[in-house]
Amino acid sequence: MSISFLEAQETYTVDGEQLVLKNEVDGKLDLLWNIIDGNYRYFVRTESNRIIELKNTKKDGKFQEEYKTLLTELTDESMSTKRLNLTLFSLKEFIDTYNGSVDTAYQSTATRNKLLFRLGAFGGITNSPFISNPDNLTTPLFGAELEVLDVNLISRHAVFLQLKHVLEQDELQYSTTELALGYRFRFINKEKISLYGHVKFATVNFSNVVVVTDNDGTLTTEEFNETAFDVPFIFGIGADIRVTKNSFITLAYNELFALLLDNQGNFSQDFSIGYKFNL
């Protein structure tokens, strides 16, 4: 690992400045880069071993896009720079494509990240800790989830879209259908099992509540239907256990706490078990 690291970074002198740069692409044109003083800096090296910085300075509030002009010249105007961005992947893809067009023996190194989609269903129980529930009753829940992560990496990061329905019961006449958008981080990420924390940062709830009031022995019943959008930041933990190459058993302990919702006096009892698979 140490040898690979030393080979990947070398010290260069560019316009009198000594810089340690990473070699990202090798070909007729080379791409060099590094993060220097907190800024991404990119360079091209020509066949004559000349190293030129790719710049995008700002003048009178407008970016000058010097890097586009330079690359147009270096590629003999054979490639359009109209949609070229001054980012590592965009530059790598551009230079990689050019090298392949002028050298049939060139081996491409640029690959686009691909997204992996996982679809799942789950069921469980909850005491709905963020609503009034004096007797701490639990009710069934079920739902479905779409998770998106990077297929090319052993990704610790994922986003998910979740649809959940909480059923009512006679003693607790409350039900809700929730659509949530969230983020998941796998702090243990092994082939057979992953453990993660997740947060739901945006939710839409379609709720139904029946309120029974005792007025001097006379019971009155009122039913309320409510739609609410929140940014609650609800945190939970979970695990994926692989059962086949493309499927998992999921375990989750949800709604442990929320930053922007008040707990109504009951510690969370929100558990679910499910199954998901790669699409």
Side-chain angles (χ1 to χ4, degrees), residues 145-156:
E145 180 184 283
L146 178 66
E147 184 181 35
V148 185
L149 60 161
D150 189 345
V151 71
N152 289 328
L153 303 172
I154 304 175
S155 179
R156 293 181 179 272

Side-chain angles (χ1 to χ4, degrees), residues 10-25:
E10 296 181 20
T11 300
Y12 301 89
T13 300
V14 184
D15 295 331
E17 184 181 9
Q18 283 208 336
L19 302 170
V20 177
L21 302 176
K22 302 176 184 180
N23 196 338
E24 190 71 24
V25 177

Side-chain angles (χ1 to χ4, degrees), residues 88-263:
L88 181 58
F89 183 81
S90 186
L91 293 171
K92 180 178 180 179
E93 188 177 48
F94 178 89
I95 294 175
D96 188 85
T97 301
Y98 170 73
N99 287 340
S101 68
V102 295
D103 182 1
T104 56
Y106 176 76
Q107 297 295 315
S108 176
T109 59
T111 58
R112 284 190 175 275
N113 290 348
K114 296 181 181 180
L115 296 179
L116 172 66
F117 295 88
R118 289 177 179 168
L119 183 64
F122 59 87
I125 59 170
T126 180
N127 65 342
S128 301
F130 304 120
I131 69 163
S132 178
N133 183 4
D135 298 322
N136 198 22
L137 300 171
T138 57
T139 52
L141 66 87
F142 63 89
E145 180 184 283
L146 178 66
E147 184 181 35
V148 185
L149 60 161
D150 189 345
V151 71
N152 289 328
L153 303 172
I154 304 175
S155 179
R156 293 181 179 272
H157 307 275
V159 295
F160 62 88
L161 182 65
Q162 185 182 94
L163 180 65
K164 181 182 74 172
H165 182 70
V166 177
L167 298 171
E168 69 174 54
Q169 56 162 292
D170 292 339
E171 292 81 6
L172 181 62
Q173 298 186 49
Y174 164 82
S175 66
T176 188
T177 299
E178 179 184 87
L179 184 64
L181 184 64
Y183 165 76
R184 182 166 289 144
F185 177 75
R186 290 175 165 82
F187 51 87
I188 294 179
N189 196 30
K190 304 295 184 182
E191 182 180 359
K192 296 294 184 181
I193 186 171
S194 64
L195 304 179
Y196 49 79
H198 56 235
V199 55
K200 292 190 286 189
F201 51 79
T203 61
V204 179
N205 278 271
F206 306 92
S207 304
N208 178 271
V209 183
V210 176
V211 178
V212 179
T213 306
D214 187 349
N215 295 315
D216 298 326
T218 302
L219 299 178
T220 60
T221 301
E222 293 182 273
E223 183 174 348
F224 298 91
N225 293 291
E226 182 181 44
T227 300
F229 171 77
D230 290 297
V231 185
F233 291 93
I234 302 172
F235 290 84
I237 57 176
D240 291 342
I241 303 170
R242 186 184 295 273
V243 290
T244 70
K245 181 180 179 181
N246 291 304
S247 65
F248 308 81
I249 296 294
T250 63
L251 304 173
Y253 186 5
N254 303 299
E255 301 193 348
L256 285 171
F257 64 93
L259 294 184
L260 301 178
L261 290 178
D262 293 328
N263 183 286

Side-chain angles (χ1 to χ4, degrees), residues 21-41:
L21 302 176
K22 302 176 184 180
N23 196 338
E24 190 71 24
V25 177
D26 282 313
K28 185 171 182 178
L29 283 181
D30 299 340
L31 175 63
L32 310 172
W33 75 284
N34 211 338
I35 301 174
I36 302 169
D37 296 329
N39 298 313
Y40 282 85
R41 294 179 65 180

Side-chain angles (χ1 to χ4, degrees), residues 47-59:
E47 287 185 299
S48 63
N49 215 32
R50 181 187 176 199
I51 300 176
I52 314 166
E53 185 168 5
L54 299 172
K55 295 182 179 181
N56 189 19
T57 60
K58 198 172 186 179
K59 183 179 180 181

